[in-house]
Amino acid sequence: RHMLESLGHQVCTVRNGRGATEAIRERLEAGKTPAFHVIIMDFDLPVVSGYDAVDAIRALEKERNLARHPIVAITAYSSSA
């Protein structure tokens, strides 16, 4: 967050996948299109997973006939394979 803000970007953080979809919906309802220029999504989120949040975001975009938001997927999961 600090690095992005130090470069002049506005950052919105949420605690879980439900918060991500709610933040996007709120911004769209306020007339902000796109809701965000880029979404950085952790796929291992509590409450609603990042996978499910992305599905909800894509459904919202389709429902409102909006361009797709770029989503960068990340995870802290690692494998020894």
Side-chain angles (χ1 to χ4, degrees):
R1 176 183 186 141
H2 176 72
M3 181 174 61
L4 292 171
E5 289 174 336
S6 71
L7 294 169
H9 300 286
Q10 292 181 343
V11 178
C12 172
T13 60
V14 296
R15 294 187 168 273
N16 56 57
R18 182 178 297 140
T21 56
E22 288 172 358
I24 291 167
R25 186 180 312 275
E26 288 171 8
R27 290 180 63 88
L28 291 173
E29 288 174 0
K32 297 185 184 339
T33 305
F36 296 98
H37 291 110
V38 67
I39 298 167
I40 301 172
M41 179 74 69
D42 186 341
F43 276 93
D44 188 26
L45 292 171
V47 183
V48 173
S49 74
Y51 292 99
D52 292 336
V54 169
D55 286 343
I57 292 165
R58 294 298 185 226
L60 184 61
E61 293 164 339
K62 186 174 183 178
E63 170 189 310
R64 296 181 184 215
N65 200 29
L66 299 171
R68 291 167 53 121
H69 289 81
I71 299 176
V72 177
I74 62 168
T75 185
Y77 177 76
S78 64
S79 172
S80 60

